[in-house]
Amino acid sequence: MSGGFKDAKKDGSDPAGTSMSNGHMGIREISAGVAGGKWSAYEITEMYIDKIKSMDDRIGAFLTICEESARAQAKAVDEKIRSGKQPGKLAGVPVAVKDNICTDGIRTTCASRMLENFVPPYNAAVIEKLINEDAVIVGKTNMDEFAMGSSTENSAFRITKNPRDVTRVPGGSSGGSAAAVAAGMVPVSLGSDTGGSIRQPDAFCGIVGLKPTYGLVSRYGLIAFGSSLDQIGPMSKTVEDCALMLEAIQGRDDRDSTSYRGEYQQDYAGRLSGDIKGLKIAVLKEYFTDGLENEIASSLNESIRRLEGLETSVDEVSLPAAGDGLSAYYIISSAEASSNLARYDSIRYGYRPKEYADVDELMEKSRSEAFGTEVKRRIMLGTYALSSGYYDAYYKRAQKYRKLLRSQLAGVFEKYDLILGPTSPVLPFKIGERSGDPLQMYLADIYTIIVNLAGLPAISVPCGFSRDGLPIGLQLIGPHYGEQVLLQAAYALEQDLKLGL
Amino acid sequence: MNYETVIGLEIHAELKTKSKIFCGCSTKFASEPNENTCPVCLGLPGTLPVLNEEAVRLAVKAGTALNCRVNYLNKFDRKNYFYPDLPKAYQVSQYDMPVCTDGAVEFECGGRHIKVRINRVHLEEDAGKLIHLEDEPYSLVDYNRAGIPLIEIVTEPDMRSPLEAVTFMRMLKSILEYGEISDCRMEQGSLRCDANISVRPVGQKEYGTKVELKNINSFRELQKALEREEKRQIELYRFGEEHKIVQETRRWDSGKGRTISMRSKEEAHDYRYFPEPDLMPVIIDETAVSAIKNSLPELPMEKYRRFTQEYGLSDDDADNLTGDRYLSEYFENTVREGAAPKTAANWVLGDVLRMLNESDISSREIPVEPARLCRLISMVEEGKISNTAGREVFREMFAGGGSPEEVVEKKGLTQISSEDALLDLVRKVIEENPKSVADYRGGKTKAIGYLVGQVMNESKGRANPAVVNELLVKELG
Ligand SMILES: [Zn+2]
């Protein structure tokens, strides 16, 4: 398995180098060191900022490096420890944040010309939580504009390269956050996932990422794409770090009316063990079709054998609704996006055209000049789907489908603990290879979107490499608020496969 | 041929909450521009709405007062359109599941019993306000109003004349005021009204083509605008040109006194409504609804009936008093202090109302306590001061002059009823008005009125007119 990794390094596509990969420090190691005085948060921050500065020219993961604010945060953490106060669980841990998550006083662009100079006057709820746990925000990462895309090529500012092979895309839309972790420029990052935007780049970059149950993590401060689908989630090298990040960012938030009102599991990481004996896993028949690349299918089959070896049962089941997910997803997400992105009219903030005759032209010009092609395409699609005369045929039908999908999935979870499948049907593709073909691009999300439509949690974990050394991701889908069992299974698989990431 | 007018109304009323519908900003009127704003009501990226439950409570209260059914499950939708005063480019409103439906308001108008059915009451947020500067090439925006909670009340087309529409609006306004649901200040825009009007030949079943009138800022304007549009449509019918009435929105220009076409149906907006994904459906508790029902005060129609029966007031007096919750309460408090209802009504609808109008003070802030007005009324009734002096005293009290006793004392207004004190004045007037005296003696007994008036003047209103009359008769006899 690790052979693939070596191949990748041989052709020069592992910028981190083995030393950095082997030198990976997880959350526990960093925070324990900071809390115990082995090193200061400031030193850790400096080290990672140096890494970013020396490596990111090649990768292009970051849109903003928050040097000053990161140093200030780190100093505050060190001061807190010096004064004898109990440090947070993420003491001194550098975190990279996708650039659609608002950071107080730090430019938050959504990788769009529209918000190129937008500086939010508030922190997203997740940023407040990270800072409360004494994490340090070191930078804002590149993404597809307004999170619309699967390759990060739709960024208005730069191309992000896959650290495993710099000729390939890192996936998207959270491509910057995935590449930053994969390259070792940060131990962990935050992404957002509307139809697979955390999981697919994780699979492409060979890291772990979790899309939480809708409502588990506050959306306050996440710049909306598809409000009923969006969730913020952690991206990391290991399942344990993913669990620790989830503990830090989840929780009820009265500013988000869709925030979960029930009990929150508090100790995901502490409960992780390699023991998943008796777990019942369903494999969706509909996921193993012609569109799935052979190498991915065989890697998955190997993982299934491993899981069976851990005394779990794996059955093939059918989810007839799965096939219609893609069109329903594009209707709902685009409809919501057309409304969510309507506020960018250049009246209060954002891009302003140089010349305009009147207010109508001001609004029109700002939108036609500052939005990229893909964003415009989705706005048009969504506007059309909501138009009178088409609403019933599109939006309403998509909502009906969503109910059907939920009930079919609920049926599966009556009998099974988890659903297993590929994260992506394809291996990381070449930069530019699919950018002219939106439909091909949309197909990259085919296995991830039903999770968002149903509001379920799902995790993507590396399960192997292609012959060319490209990472392959496996997706586990859980029932609502089933994050613990997801993490548990992903951890067991990670321990069993020992891919040496 | 005779024509029948058909009118339906859409009313927007600002709810009387302390904070906005989806954020914590103040709803205070007349703040500095953009003072009452925050990232949420400015629609900054990443912000989310949180529903103000007080707004839901007031909407339920309004629906209950309008005899509506409360929908225990209702939801919010987005109404999408671009306008610089709309920060998110969508208004959060309620489309197909409003908070209340199917109500009715009944009242008398022109001797006819009218029942106006209420189609729905729904919640929504207000937009900001554009300020156009005449001498500048740009406009300014004030978002203080953006996010203020509104209810939209939609009636069925049940009114048959502009007068009925205005009477309905007066009734609705007093209901909303009674329930402390809205301030209903039309001049400040906290109560706004759009009207749909059509005409049809009497006897025709189908409605004629309706026209929507916007930008109406007072009851008087509503009546004028409707009358004008009614006339326009009937005129077109008379000449067989009714096809020229097209479904459109017309803006009322109060300056020019006419309506101007804004947009036709073909240009009508497609608002692309869809369920607001950032808010959960609203679930209203049944016990909360009954608590709201119980919290409703006596409503204008009931109070009107009670005032005519219990106090024997005329229909007009009862109507005028109950049209204004605070005025009716002021009246009733004065009666409770011991004033005779009829006299109290005369005072409240006379001098009290006049002073309120003159000084532009609202009826909920009448500066004279009911107990003091009551004592003033007794002083007049008991003849301690004259009626004229009484009104002067009230004026003084209204302006902050203190108790009636103090004012009377200070101004020396005590009525002079002693014959000894008045006799000199009476004789002086007789001496100075030989013509009137001659008229009286010649049989024109009415001339005595003039002489009484002269004595009153001489006494600066303090003389007791009955005593003066008696003295004059005696002296002239
Ligand atoms: Zn606000």
Side-chain angles (χ1 to χ4, degrees):
Chain A
M1 282 297 164
S2 57
F5 184 52
K6 279 180 194 137
D7 287 347
K9 203 181 68 183
K10 227 182 287 169
D11 59 54
S13 51
D14 177 29
T18 33
S19 61
M20 191 60 71
S21 289
N22 295 341
H24 169 75
M25 292 200 292
I27 289 176
R28 284 202 199 278
E29 193 180 352
I30 294 172
S31 61
V34 169
K38 192 168 171 190
W39 43 59
S40 69
Y42 192 85
E43 285 167 339
I44 292 287
T45 303
E46 284 296 308
M47 183 177 96
Y48 278 96
I49 286 177
D50 283 349
K51 281 192 195 187
I52 295 168
K53 282 181 163 173
S54 66
M55 294 164 75
D56 202 43
D57 282 348
R58 276 191 77 209
I59 304 298
F62 286 86
L63 292 176
T64 304
I65 303 170
C66 317
E67 271 188 71
E68 274 176 43
S69 59
R71 285 192 186 110
Q73 281 168 18
K75 275 183 189 162
V77 174
D78 290 332
E79 188 48 47
K80 186 173 173 181
I81 291 165
R82 250 196 303 281
S83 70
K85 287 191 194 110
Q86 179 71 25
K89 283 204 240 173
L90 303 177
V93 174
V95 183
V97 175
K98 188 177 181 180
D99 213 20
N100 59 351
I101 298 172
C102 288
T103 38
D104 191 355
I106 297 166
R107 199 170 76 112
T108 301
T109 68
C110 280
S112 178
R113 293 267 170 239
M114 187 59 91
L115 295 177
E116 190 166 3
N117 298 306
F118 176 66
V119 179
Y122 46 86
N123 273 327
V126 289
I127 301 297
E128 286 173 359
K129 283 175 176 290
L130 288 179
I131 291 174
N132 271 343
E133 292 295 343
D134 294 328
V136 174
I137 313 299
V138 290
K140 304 296 295 285
T141 58
N142 198 19
M143 55 188 279
D144 287 298
E145 184 178 7
F146 283 101
M148 296 170 183
S150 307
S151 68
T152 312
E153 290 166 293
N154 293 336
S155 166
F157 303 122
R158 67 193 309 183
I159 294 290
T160 299
K161 290 157 190 158
N162 191 324
R164 303 263 159 210
D165 176 349
V166 291
T167 66
R168 291 177 190 270
V169 301
S173 65
S174 313
S177 284
V181 170
M185 292 188 276
V186 281
V188 287
S189 63
L190 288 184
S192 73
D193 191 316
T194 306
S197 282
I198 288 176
R199 292 159 285 158
Q200 188 256 13
D202 288 336
F204 274 24
C205 294
I207 63 167
V208 181
L210 177 83
K211 182 260 159 197
T213 306
Y214 186 79
L216 199 76
V217 176
S218 171
R219 289 185 298 121
Y220 190 84
L222 169 66
I223 299 182
F225 162 15
S227 311
S228 72
L229 306 159
D230 297 340
Q231 268 292 288
I232 294 171
M235 300 164 79
S236 59
K237 279 245 161 100
T238 65
V239 175
E240 185 188 48
D241 280 357
C242 193
L244 288 166
M245 282 291 279
L246 182 64
E247 286 171 18
I249 61 170
Q250 68 168 12
R252 176 171 167 169
D253 182 5
D254 289 336
R255 292 166 299 182
D256 176 357
S257 307
T258 61
S259 180
Y260 178 49
R261 297 298 200 246
E263 286 266 313
Y264 285 80
Q265 164 79 44
Q266 298 297 341
D267 186 19
Y268 298 110
R271 289 159 187 254
L272 295 178
S273 76
D275 181 11
I276 49 168
K277 208 167 112 184
L279 208 66
K280 286 184 281 211
I281 299 169
V283 172
L284 295 188
K285 201 167 75 187
E286 287 75 8
Y287 273 6
F288 288 81
T289 51
D290 295 347
L292 181 64
E293 284 185 17
N294 284 335
E295 285 191 273
I296 297 176
S298 46
S299 175
L300 245 69
N301 285 328
E302 168 61 20
S303 293
I304 290 170
R305 276 192 293 280
R306 295 292 194 106
L307 284 166
E308 282 169 339
L310 294 169
E311 293 178 65
T312 67
S313 66
V314 183
D315 295 338
E316 193 179 80
V317 301
S318 175
L319 188 80
D324 293 328
L326 201 65
S327 46
Y329 169 77
Y330 276 94
I331 288 165
I332 290 170
S333 64
S334 304
E336 290 179 356
S338 72
S339 174
N340 284 330
L341 271 64
R343 72 188 62 194
Y344 307 114
D345 56 11
S346 112
I347 303 283
R348 292 158 300 278
Y349 51 84
Y351 175 87
R352 191 165 270 227
K354 284 199 174 66
E355 282 174 13
Y356 45 90
D358 55 24
V359 76
D360 289 329
E361 196 180 282
L362 168 66
M363 293 196 284
E364 245 173 72
K365 265 191 158 178
S366 63
R367 295 171 66 76
S368 48
E369 288 173 14
F371 283 144
T373 313
E374 183 59 26
V375 170
K376 285 183 199 164
R377 186 179 298 138
R378 307 250 189 145
I379 289 174
M380 299 228 280
L381 180 65
T383 303
Y384 183 76
L386 289 175
S387 297
S388 74
Y390 300 98
Y391 183 87
D392 286 359
Y394 295 106
Y395 187 80
K396 210 170 166 187
R397 237 177 93 198
Q399 288 292 22
K400 265 192 197 153
Y401 164 79
R402 208 168 168 176
K403 281 205 184 100
L404 174 80
L405 175 71
R406 274 170 181 268
S407 80
Q408 286 190 8
L409 280 162
V412 174
F413 286 118
E414 272 171 27
K415 293 187 195 129
Y416 297 94
D417 300 306
L418 291 173
I419 293 171
L420 181 149
T423 306
S424 161
V426 293
L427 293 166
F429 43 87
K430 293 268 186 194
I431 290 167
E433 187 185 324
R434 292 188 173 210
S435 50
D437 186 348
L439 189 63
Q440 273 299 307
M441 197 65 99
Y442 295 172
L443 285 169
D445 294 332
I446 194 150
Y447 300 136
T448 45
I449 43 145
I450 62 161
V451 167
N452 302 73
L453 286 169
L456 297 171
I459 194 166
S460 179
V461 279
C463 66
F465 294 91
S466 72
R467 279 185 306 276
D468 295 334
L470 297 170
I472 296 169
L474 173 149
Q475 178 179 221
L476 295 167
I477 304 169
H480 290 110
Y481 313 105
E483 276 77 0
Q484 184 69 64
V485 67
L486 276 184
L487 289 161
Q488 182 72 358
Y491 183 76
L493 193 64
E494 178 188 56
Q495 300 304 306
D496 195 61
L497 289 170
K498 288 200 172 49
L499 294 175
L501 294 153
Chain B
M1 195 179 294
N2 287 321
Y3 297 94
E4 183 182 48
T5 306
V6 176
I7 300 169
L9 300 173
E10 287 174 23
I11 300 102
H12 287 91
E14 273 183 11
L15 295 174
K16 235 172 141 171
T17 54
K18 286 201 172 62
S19 56
K20 291 186 180 180
I21 187 166
F22 298 125
C23 65
C25 289
S26 165
T27 55
K28 206 170 132 250
F29 185 75
S31 301
E32 288 299 308
N34 297 305
E35 186 184 334
N36 304 334
T37 59
C38 72
V40 176
C41 58
L42 288 176
L44 291 193
T47 58
L48 296 169
V50 177
L51 180 60
N52 178 347
E53 283 176 18
E54 180 62 9
V56 181
R57 208 184 66 81
L58 288 178
V60 169
K61 205 175 182 187
T64 310
L66 300 173
N67 303 302
C68 289
R69 191 181 72 222
V70 175
N71 296 317
Y72 294 109
L73 174 67
N74 59 91
K75 70 171 172 75
F76 284 95
D77 301 277
R78 290 187 184 176
K79 179 180 180 178
N80 295 284
Y81 65 96
F82 287 98
Y83 205 67
D85 68 4
L86 193 65
K88 300 184 294 290
Y90 57 81
Q91 178 191 29
V92 179
S93 180
Q94 296 191 301
Y95 182 55
D96 55 356
M97 289 168 76
V99 62
C100 299
T101 40
D102 300 329
V105 176
E106 298 187 48
F107 56 93
E108 312 292 327
C109 177
R112 212 161 82 84
H113 182 81
I114 315 284
K115 179 175 175 181
V116 174
R117 290 166 299 152
I118 305 293
N119 174 291
R120 62 191 282 156
V121 176
H122 76 242
L123 274 161
E124 60 187 28
E125 58 178 336
D126 209 344
K129 211 170 157 186
L130 278 185
I131 293 125
H132 302 288
L133 301 172
E134 224 150 80
D135 300 319
E136 300 290 347
Y138 53 82
S139 299
L140 301 171
V141 209
D142 180 1
Y143 292 106
N144 280 346
R145 219 177 59 182
I148 293 212
L150 297 176
I151 42 170
E152 180 172 335
I153 301 162
V154 182
T155 78
E156 296 295 348
D158 288 348
M159 287 148 280
R160 293 291 172 267
S161 71
L163 180 66
E164 284 182 18
V166 171
T167 311
F168 168 81
M169 277 304 290
R170 285 190 199 283
M171 181 58 75
L172 179 71
K173 178 175 185 268
S174 52
I175 290 172
L176 296 179
E177 283 174 347
Y178 270 57
E180 291 182 305
I181 294 158
S182 171
D183 271 338
C184 292
R185 295 181 203 233
M186 271 189 118
E187 70 289 355
Q188 290 181 3
S190 71
L191 183 69
R192 311 195 277 271
C193 167
D194 300 336
N196 287 301
I197 173 169
S198 65
V199 299
R200 61 181 169 188
V202 168
Q204 180 183 305
K205 269 199 174 150
E206 312 81 60
Y207 293 126
T209 306
K210 69 174 179 190
V211 165
E212 187 183 20
L213 301 180
K214 280 191 179 291
N215 193 40
I216 299 166
N217 300 319
S218 71
F219 291 155
R220 204 174 46 234
E221 298 290 321
L222 174 64
Q223 179 140 3
K224 276 203 233 161
L226 285 171
E227 282 170 354
R228 179 88 189 190
E229 179 60 19
E230 179 183 47
K231 201 174 147 211
R232 187 184 74 93
Q233 292 188 19
I234 291 176
E235 209 74 346
L236 286 167
Y237 260 101
R238 285 226 170 94
F239 284 88
E241 300 280 340
E242 64 268 25
H243 57 275
K244 286 196 172 150
I245 305 168
V246 290
Q247 193 170 332
E248 62 179 345
T249 303
R250 297 177 76 89
R251 190 176 165 276
W252 170 246
D253 185 330
S254 59
K256 296 195 174 84
R258 59 196 197 91
T259 60
I260 299 149
S261 181
M262 281 169 75
R263 59 174 180 263
S264 69
K265 196 193 172 193
E266 288 75 53
E267 303 163 53
H269 287 299
D270 179 357
Y271 290 117
R272 291 173 280 118
Y273 282 100
F274 75 102
E276 163 59 291
D278 288 333
L279 290 167
M280 302 301 277
V282 182
I283 293 163
I284 299 172
D285 186 48
E286 229 169 303
T287 54
V289 174
S290 30
I292 291 168
K293 255 182 202 156
N294 293 333
S295 77
L296 270 177
E298 182 184 31
L299 292 173
M301 277 307 281
E302 298 163 45
K303 195 176 253 189
Y304 166 84
R305 265 179 242 119
R306 191 166 61 78
F307 275 20
T308 55
Q309 285 160 13
E310 198 172 304
Y311 298 129
L313 297 183
S314 71
D315 287 356
D316 272 357
D317 282 359
D319 190 36
N320 287 331
L321 282 172
T322 56
D324 181 330
R325 173 182 174 176
Y326 302 98
L327 210 59
S328 71
E329 285 175 355
Y330 185 76
F331 158 77
E332 220 168 3
N333 288 334
T334 309
V335 172
R336 272 192 206 117
E337 293 291 336
K342 184 68 199 149
T343 321
N346 285 341
W347 272 91
V348 172
L349 292 171
D351 288 88
V352 175
L353 209 50
R354 186 169 326 119
M355 287 301 292
L356 288 176
N357 289 337
E358 275 174 24
S359 53
D360 205 24
I361 288 175
S362 126
S363 58
R364 77 199 80 169
E365 289 145 6
I366 301 172
V368 177
E369 291 91 336
R372 286 182 164 181
L373 175 61
C374 180
R375 294 213 301 277
L376 176 62
I377 292 173
S378 332
M379 289 167 90
V380 174
E381 295 287 291
E382 289 162 9
K384 283 185 188 145
I385 54 170
S386 71
N387 209 29
T388 322
R391 296 176 62 180
E392 198 185 325
V393 173
F394 180 76
R395 214 165 249 282
E396 191 73 16
M397 286 161 68
F398 195 97
S403 74
E405 295 79 6
E406 283 161 11
V407 176
V408 167
E409 178 69 34
K410 194 173 77 191
K411 303 206 116 189
L413 288 171
T414 328
Q415 180 151 291
I416 310 165
S417 301
S418 122
E419 294 193 7
D420 292 348
L422 291 173
L423 198 56
D424 281 352
L425 274 182
V426 167
R427 286 181 178 153
K428 187 176 169 233
V429 166
I430 289 174
E431 216 161 280
E432 285 171 0
N433 293 282
K435 191 171 176 301
S436 299
V437 170
D439 285 351
Y440 177 78
R441 287 192 172 135
K444 288 186 188 164
T445 47
K446 274 187 186 163
I448 201 160
Y450 176 76
L451 295 169
V452 172
Q454 291 307 107
V455 177
M456 293 305 293
N457 276 349
E458 289 285 328
S459 72
K460 295 198 174 76
R462 291 175 62 197
N464 181 331
V467 177
V468 171
N469 203 68
E470 236 167 76
L471 277 174
L472 276 167
V473 171
K474 218 186 278 175
E475 289 291 305
L476 293 169

